[in-house]
Amino acid sequence: SDISKDYYDKFYKSYEIGYNKPDKEIYEYVIKDIGVNPSNILFFDDKENNVKYSKELGIDSRQVDVYHLIDYFKENNYFDII
C-alpha cells in the first residue's frame, strides 16, 4: 500500500508536478493547491536548504531525518500509534 494514501490527504511528488526542491515554485504550487495560509502547512525534510526556502515562504518547516520521521511524530505528540 502507498503510505501517502494511508496517512495524508495530499502528498506531492516533485516528478509528478514538475517542480523540484528547493525551487520556490514547488512550495508556491503546494500553497496555492491547498488554499490555506502557509503557516498552516507542516513540512518535513532532511535537507537544510529545502527547509530554509520553505520557511522563507511562511511554511511551518522542520528539518528531520526522514528515516526516523515516525519516531519524531511520536516524540512530539503529532499522533498516537498503537
Side-chain angles (χ1 to χ4, degrees), residues 2-16:
D2 184 349
I3 192 169
S4 64
K5 294 178 184 173
D6 293 339
Y7 295 101
Y8 306 103
D9 293 329
K10 296 234 179 199
F11 196 85
Y12 297 91
K13 299 176 182 174
S14 59
Y15 67 88
E16 290 179 348

Side-chain angles (χ1 to χ4, degrees), residues 3-50:
I3 192 169
S4 64
K5 294 178 184 173
D6 293 339
Y7 295 101
Y8 306 103
D9 293 329
K10 296 234 179 199
F11 196 85
Y12 297 91
K13 299 176 182 174
S14 59
Y15 67 88
E16 290 179 348
I17 60 176
Y19 300 113
N20 293 305
K21 298 177 290 182
D23 297 335
K24 69 177 183 173
E25 289 85 6
I26 194 165
Y27 306 109
E28 291 169 343
Y29 175 93
V30 171
I31 292 167
K32 183 178 178 182
D33 187 63
I34 294 174
V36 300
N37 186 304
S39 65
N40 292 325
I41 299 171
L42 185 56
F43 172 70
F44 295 93
D45 200 283
D46 61 336
K47 295 192 173 32
E48 183 178 354
N49 274 346
N50 294 343

Side-chain angles (χ1 to χ4, degrees), residues 63-80:
Q63 183 179 0
V64 297
D65 177 355
V66 294
Y67 297 106
H68 297 100
L69 191 55
I70 298 298
D71 294 334
Y72 181 89
F73 283 167
K74 284 195 251 182
E75 291 167 7
N76 290 282
N77 298 315
Y78 284 108
F79 59 76
D80 293 323

